[in-house]
Amino acid sequence: MIKLGITGGIGSGKSVVSHILQLMDIPVYQTDNEAKRLMVQDPVIRQQLCALMGDEIYFPNHSLNRALLANYIFECPERLAQVNAIVHPRVKIDFLQWAEHYKTLPLVCMECAILYESKFESTVDSVLVVTAPLKLRIQRAMQRDSAQEEQIRKRIKHQLSEEQLTDKADFVVKNDNETPLLPQITRILHLLHIL
């Protein structure tokens, strides 16, 4: 079984590529969603977050106090690293357990916005980077998140550049609203000997 990581900058269209793969019956692990789930359900994460930030990080109903977490992280970049050091290793374990359920399949994917930053590239066999022109990425992210251009540009500054991502990638999919996606994805699946 091949594990393929899917990454790309904000607004590049990672989710669109993941959705196409899912329509082709290829399972995709959505790292963002699973990390949110694990922050509520994983006892190791719960214990470590409480030790780091106090019990009020969880509400009495056991849901995560996201506002408190956001305030804690945004006050200081080192704090984000502390939280990531708690969450990322558990996500990695969860992904590997999830992939084990599909071990008879030729391919599974992991969609992850911060694949390299979280060192998840060591968990996958190949990496696919989704690219798009900056102007289009900003437009998409503004629409999706109901955010201002300045906010999106700030978030982009904190991510690896598209050049850095494509330099590290095994495969690149151009999602510029002009180049058809399906032939690009099909070509990659052929190169991986999946089709």
Side-chain angles (χ1 to χ4, degrees), residues 14-183:
K14 297 177 292 295
S15 297
V16 173
V17 171
S18 293
H19 186 65
I20 291 169
L21 288 162
Q22 286 173 313
L23 290 173
M24 299 169 88
D25 291 326
I26 295 166
V28 179
Y29 182 93
Q30 307 282 350
T31 307
D32 283 355
N33 296 344
E34 299 305 332
K36 285 174 187 164
R37 175 184 61 80
L38 289 168
M39 287 175 84
V40 173
Q41 294 179 1
D42 186 286
V44 174
I45 292 177
R46 289 181 71 90
Q47 179 195 351
Q48 291 181 351
L49 286 180
C50 287
L52 184 66
M53 287 177 265
D55 291 343
E56 59 274 12
I57 191 62
Y58 290 97
F59 291 115
N61 69 358
H62 302 297
S63 66
L64 185 65
N65 185 337
R66 295 197 182 281
L68 184 66
L69 179 66
N71 287 339
Y72 179 84
I73 287 170
F74 289 121
E75 283 178 22
C76 172
E78 290 80 41
R79 289 179 174 179
L80 176 60
Q82 288 175 325
V83 172
N84 286 344
I86 292 169
V87 177
H88 290 168
R90 304 300 293 173
V91 172
K92 196 179 277 193
I93 290 166
D94 191 66
F95 168 70
L96 292 171
Q97 289 172 342
W98 172 88
E100 193 60 26
H101 288 293
Y102 298 102
K103 63 183 175 196
T104 57
L105 297 182
L107 177 68
V108 296
C109 300
M110 169 199 269
E111 181 189 324
C112 183
I114 53 168
L115 188 91
Y116 291 108
E117 297 90 330
S118 55
K119 308 279 187 276
F120 285 167
E121 77 273 17
S122 63
T123 314
V124 295
D125 303 301
S126 299
V127 175
L128 181 162
V129 169
V130 185
T131 67
L134 181 61
K135 191 174 175 183
L136 183 58
R137 289 171 54 202
I138 291 168
Q139 279 176 347
R140 287 173 180 162
M142 284 170 64
Q143 283 178 329
R144 183 192 67 200
D145 301 343
S146 303
Q148 298 298 313
E149 182 172 343
E150 190 181 323
Q151 292 173 290
I152 301 300
R153 285 188 179 275
K154 266 188 197 166
R155 284 161 63 185
I156 287 171
K157 271 187 186 163
H158 289 286
Q159 295 185 326
L160 290 175
S161 72
E162 208 160 73
E163 292 74 28
Q164 289 171 303
L165 290 175
T166 54
D167 283 349
K168 294 170 180 258
D170 299 292
F171 308 105
V172 176
V173 167
K174 190 189 287 187
N175 185 17
D176 58 5
N177 287 359
E178 291 172 21
T179 315
L181 290 173
L182 193 56

